[in-house]
Structures are given as structure tokens and as C-alpha cells.
Amino acid sequence: MTDKKHATIGSYQLVRTNRRTLSISLDKNGMVIAHAPLKMPLWQIERFLWEKSGWIAEKRALLQSRAKRMEQFDPVQGGKLPYLGGTLFLQAWEGKTARLDGNTLYLPEEGSVRAQALKWLQGEARRVLPLYVDKWSKITGLKPSRIGFGYAQKRWGSMSSKGSLRLNVALMHCAPRQIDYIVVHELTHIKHMNHSPAFHAAVEAVLPGAAQLRKEVKALSGYLELLRE
């Protein structure tokens, strides 16, 4: 059962299902969604929302910050695209393949701009990202069994229990130091297949300032969908 309610935090969506616990989430527009058991009293739900009002405000501010950051980028001819922490300007040209010249990315006139830009970014990822992996593998002594690439919607990278590393091509939107963090993060999973305090301590030991970089990368989650049709 889904219903719209109002509490001290503003309007929220109440979803009642056959579950045991109460949890909350925010959609991309900042609307609070309360996931509650079928028979939980409304006063108990709204007390929980009030107790979480600080967390809700923090998450809404983060969403607004992400939206503002993404406003400057528009993957259309004449638009902009983030690249290695900088900005590329997108222009059409008569060639059949994409071409980078300085801070201008020339894309074929025919076809989807997003598809053309993603194809180019995939090629860049295969060329550039293995260099980061090689650098940090030498420093840490942690080497993946293989490297793959994808365009996952919610993850910057992953490491399997067999040591197979998969990196998101959207990392090419990020600044080099942020790419360093994701690569070190995933390589550390070779030793720690979890996100325990020991894992975070190991990442920080290799890459001082990792905690701040983790926050920066989280704030760039909009990049994961920038070129998605």
C-alpha cells in the first residue's frame, strides 16, 4: 500500500508492505519514502522520520549539490562533458569517428551524441585506466587476475573473490586523484572482501586522505548516468 503523507519534514511517501522493520530512502528529487510494516502506527513512523530529520536534510543537500554540478554538463552537440576532472566541449564534425583536439571532442554528425561520446569514453577507459591499475598494483603488491570494463548504473568498480577487477568507464569523468581512490579501493578488496574498519585503514595507509576522496566520489554519482540513454 502506497500513500502520500505529511510530517514535520514535509511531504513523504508511505509504502506499507509485509516487512518487519521501518526504513527510509530518498528518491532523486529528494522525496522521502518511508518503507513500513503493514500495521505500524503512523505516530511511530513519523517519530522515526523526525529523529532522522538531520540525516534527511543532509541527504537532500547532497542531492541538490549533485544536481547543480550536473547542470553544467549536457551531452549534446555544443554541450559539455566532464573528462579527467576537467571539461570537454562537444562539437560535430564530418568524420566517422570521434576525435579529441585539446579540450574539444569532435563527434560524428550522424547518430546519438550520447552513444558516440560513450563509445569514445569506453576506448579512453581501456587505454587509460589500466595505467592506474598497474601503478597501484606495483605500490601495493596487489594485482588483479584480469581487468574488465563496463557502464554500471550504481558502481564505480568491483572486485570478485577470484581477483577479477571491473571498472566503470564513467571513471574517465573523474579527476585523477579520484580514480586513484577507486582503484586502490578495489585492489584492497583482494585482501579484505568487505568494508570493515581494517579495510578502510588499509586504503588510508596506501592513500592518505582516502576518506575525503570517498566523499568526493559519492558526490559525483550523477556521472554514472550522464551518458545513459
Side-chain angles (χ1 to χ4, degrees):
M1 182 177 68
T2 302
D3 196 8
K4 286 287 185 67
K5 300 290 184 181
H6 188 82
T8 54
I9 61 162
S11 297
Y12 69 96
Q13 187 176 8
L14 175 58
V15 180
R16 290 185 182 273
T17 57
N18 187 22
R19 56 182 293 149
R20 295 182 177 181
T21 59
L22 171 63
S23 69
I24 58 175
S25 62
L26 273 68
D27 66 16
K28 63 181 180 180
N29 297 314
M31 170 67 77
V32 175
I33 305 172
H35 306 270
L38 292 172
K39 296 183 179 181
M40 180 172 282
L42 187 59
W43 67 263
Q44 188 174 349
I45 295 169
E46 297 203 343
R47 185 180 68 179
F48 181 77
L49 293 176
W50 180 82
E51 291 172 347
K52 294 294 183 180
S53 59
W55 178 89
I56 291 169
E58 181 181 337
K59 293 300 181 182
R60 281 177 170 165
L62 180 60
L63 287 171
Q64 291 172 356
S65 175
R66 289 175 181 173
K68 187 175 181 180
R69 180 182 293 107
M70 296 304 295
E71 284 176 0
Q72 62 181 307
F73 300 116
D74 191 9
V76 297
Q77 295 291 10
K80 300 177 183 179
L81 190 70
Y83 178 70
L84 293 179
T87 300
L88 293 181
F89 298 89
L90 306 180
Q91 295 293 335
W93 80 309
E94 297 177 353
K96 295 183 179 180
T97 58
R99 177 174 66 87
L100 180 64
D101 185 1
N103 63 352
T104 301
L105 178 61
Y106 293 92
L107 297 171
E109 294 176 332
E110 297 183 2
S112 162
V113 172
R114 278 182 166 83
Q116 296 278 9
L118 180 57
K119 182 179 179 180
W120 176 81
L121 203 71
Q122 288 169 334
E124 287 295 285
R126 292 178 180 278
R127 179 180 68 85
V128 174
L129 296 181
L131 301 178
Y132 283 83
V133 177
D134 183 60
K135 176 182 73 173
W136 288 107
S137 289
K138 289 177 179 177
I139 293 172
T140 63
L142 302 172
K143 187 175 181 179
S145 59
R146 65 180 299 275
I147 305 174
F149 302 90
Y151 195 46
Q153 192 169 3
K154 294 184 179 181
R155 303 182 71 177
W156 292 104
S158 63
M159 179 67 74
S160 76
S161 58
K162 295 183 179 180
S164 178
L165 172 62
R166 190 166 184 81
L167 296 173
N168 198 316
V169 301
L171 279 169
M172 296 303 297
H173 296 310
C174 300
R177 190 66 171 167
Q178 294 159 349
I179 299 175
D180 283 336
Y181 167 72
I182 293 297
V183 170
V184 172
H185 179 112
E186 298 305 336
L187 289 178
T188 304
H189 278 313
I190 293 176
K191 278 192 172 181
H192 303 274
M193 287 301 293
N194 52 47
H195 289 112
S196 64
F199 165 83
H200 289 296
V203 174
E204 187 73 28
V206 173
L207 191 63
Q212 175 58 36
L213 289 168
R214 181 167 63 252
K215 292 179 181 179
E216 291 177 12
V217 170
K218 284 184 178 181
L220 297 178
S221 62
Y223 286 173
L224 293 168
E225 299 188 24
L226 186 58
L227 294 178
R228 203 170 296 279
E229 295 283 3

